[in-house]
C-alpha cells in the first residue's frame, strides 16, 4: 500500500496525513458505530462495514490524487468503525452462549492463526501481482472482501445478545458503560499502557515497514526490480510467524499471562527499533518480530477488557478502545512523517523505539497497569 502511495507522488508527510484522516474518522465514528452494534445487532454492523470496505478498496485502486485518497481513507475508516468492536463483541457473546467466555483469547488466537496462514499465501501472490501494477492487489482484496459480505449474511446473532434488553438502550447509556469501565483505575492504566503507547508504536511500524524494508534489502544488494516480490515473501513470513504465535494465544494466556506478555514484549520491540538506526540491516528481523506480535497482543488486551464489561455495551467499550488508539497515534504519525521526510524512516522508527521503552517504564512505575484485579464492570441491564 505505502509503496503504491509513494509511486503516486505522495510524500511521507502526505502518507501520514492519510493515516491521520483515518484515525480522526475513527475518533468521531467508533463510539456511535459501537452503539449501533449494541442497539441494532452485531450482524447489521458487520454487514455495513464489509460493504464499505469493499467499495473503498476498489476506489483506492483507481485513485490518482492525494485528495481522492483522503476521501477514500475516511470511508475506509468508517467501514472498520462498523466492524472493529462488533467482531470481538460477536465472538465473545457467542462464546458466552456456551459458557466459554474465558476462552476468548484462545479461540480468537486460533481464528487469527488461520487468517494469517491464508494471508501468507496472499502476500506472496500480492507481491508478484504488484510487480505488474501496484493497484492490482487492491482489486483482488476487494473481490475477497465481497465474499466476506456473503459470509456475514450467514452469521447468526448470539443468543446472549438477543436475550439482552437492547431495544431500549440509549446512546447515553452506552457512554455510561464506557465511563464505568475506564473508571476502574487499573483498566485506565492498562488503556494508557497498551492502547495509547504500545499500539501507537506498532501502528507506526506498519506505516514505515515497506520503505524501511526497501532500504534494508537494497543495502544487502538486492536488485531494485525485485523489491515488490521480496516484500510479498517477507509479509508471508511475518504472517506465518504471527500465525504460530496467535495459534498459541490461549496457551500464552494460561502460562505467562497478560502481565508476563506486556512486561516483556514492549521492551523487546523498543530495544530492537532503537538499534536499526545504527545497523539498518537489523531492520529485517526487528520488523519481523514487531509485526508478528500485533494480533497476539491485541487478543490478550481485548480478553483483559472483555472480562470487565457486560454484554450490553460491550461493542461500545471495545470501539472506545479503538477510538483511544486513533487519537493518541496522531502525534506519533505526524512526528514520524516529518522526521522521515527530513531525515529517514529509519530514524523515525528508532525514536519510536526509545519512546516505547521510556514510556512503558514510566507507566509501570507510576500507574501499575498490569496489576491483577477482580473488579468487574456490569452493564446497565445486568
Amino acid at each position: 500500500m505505502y509503496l503504491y502511495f509513494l509511486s503516486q507522488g505522495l510524500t511521507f508527510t502526505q502518507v501520514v496525513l492519510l493515516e491521520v484522516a483515518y484515525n480522526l474518522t475513527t475518533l468521531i465514528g467508533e463510539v456511535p458505530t459501537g452503539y449501533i452494534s449494541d442497539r441494532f445487532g452485531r450482524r447489521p454492523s458487520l454487514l455495513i462495514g464489509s460493504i464499505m470496505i469493499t467499495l473503498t478498496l476498489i476506489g483506492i485502486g483507481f485513485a490518482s490524487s492525494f485528495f481522492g485518497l483522503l476521501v477514500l481513507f475516511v470511508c475506509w475508516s468508517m467501514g472498520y468503525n462498523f466492524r472493529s468492536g462488533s467482531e470481538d463483541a460477536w465472538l465473545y457473546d457467542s462464546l458466552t452462549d456456551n459458557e466459554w467466555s474465558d476462552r476468548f483469547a484462545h479461540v480468537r488466537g486460533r481464528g487469527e492463526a488461520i487468517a494469517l496462514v491464508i494471508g501468507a499465501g496472499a502476500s506472496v501472490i500480492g507481491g508478484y501481482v504488484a510487480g505488474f501494477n501496484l493497484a492490482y492487489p487492491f482489486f483482488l482484496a476487494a473481490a475477497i472482501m465481497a465474499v466476506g459480505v456473503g459470509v456475514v449474511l450467514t452469521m447468526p446473532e448470539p443468543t446472549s445478545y438477543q436475550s439482552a434488553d437492547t431495544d431500549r438502550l440509549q446512546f447515553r447509556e452506552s457512554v455510561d458503560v464506557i465511563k464505568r469501565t475506564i473508571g476502574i483505575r487499573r483498566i485506565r492504566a492498562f488503556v494508557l499502557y497498551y492502547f495509547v503507547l504500545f499500539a501507537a508504536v506498532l501502528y507506526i511500524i506498519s506505516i514505515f515497514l515497506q520503505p524501511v524494508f526497501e532500504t534494508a534489502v537494497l543495502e544487502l544488494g538486492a536488485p531494485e526490480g525485485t523489491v515488490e516480490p521480496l516484500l510479498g515473501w517477507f509479509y508471508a513470513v511475518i504472517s506465518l510467524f504471527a500465525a504460530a504465535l496467535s495459534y498459541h494465544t490461549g496457551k500464552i494466556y494460561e502460562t505467562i499471562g497478560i502481565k508476563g506478555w506486556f512486561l516483556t514484549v514492549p521492551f523487546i520491540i523498543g530495544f530492537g527499533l532503537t538499534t536499526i538506526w545504527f545497523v539498518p540491516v537489523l531492520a529485517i528481523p526487528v520488523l519481523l518480530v514487531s509485526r508478528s506480535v500485533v494480533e497476539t497482543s491485541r487478543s490478550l488486551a481485548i480478553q483483559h477488557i472483555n472480562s470487565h464489561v457486560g454484554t450490553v455495551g460491550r461493542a461500545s467499550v471495545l470501539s472506545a478502545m479503538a477510538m483511544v488508539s486513533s487519537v493518541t497515534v496522531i502525534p506519533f504519525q505526524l512526528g514520524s512523517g516529518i522526521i522521515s521526510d527530513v531525515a529517514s524512516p529509519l530514524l523515525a522508527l528508532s525514536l519510536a523505539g526509545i519512546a516505547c521503552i521510556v514510556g512503558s517504564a514510566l507507566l509501570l512505575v507510576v500507574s501499575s497497569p498490569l496489576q491483577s484485579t477482580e473488579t468487574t464492570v456490569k452493564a446497565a441491564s445486568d
Side-chain angles (χ1 to χ4, degrees), residues 192-253:
L192 289 172
Y193 190 80
Y194 171 73
F195 290 95
V196 171
L197 179 61
F198 190 43
V201 172
L202 293 177
Y203 199 107
I204 295 301
I205 294 169
S206 71
I207 294 176
F208 293 107
L209 182 148
Q210 295 176 19
V212 168
F213 175 83
E214 184 177 30
T215 299
V217 295
L218 290 177
E219 186 165 310
L220 287 171
E224 192 164 337
T226 63
V227 172
E228 287 85 0
L230 285 173
L231 185 60
W233 280 103
F234 185 60
Y235 272 115
V237 173
I238 289 173
S239 291
L240 292 175
F241 269 81
L245 272 177
S246 190
Y247 186 83
H248 293 97
T249 301
K251 194 170 292 184
I252 292 170
Y253 178 65

Side-chain angles (χ1 to χ4, degrees), residues 329-353:
V329 77
I330 290 173
F332 281 83
Q333 290 172 324
L334 291 173
S336 60
I338 294 169
I339 291 167
S340 296
D341 280 329
V342 173
S344 77
L346 280 170
L347 179 59
L349 287 186
S350 290
L351 293 176

Side-chain angles (χ1 to χ4, degrees), residues 42 88-97 158 160-161 311 314:
R42 314 304 190 203
D88 292 313
W90 182 89
L91 176 58
Y92 197 87
D93 290 341
S94 297
L95 292 172
T96 300
D97 290 347
S160 58
Y161 170 81
T311 296
R314 187 183 310 284

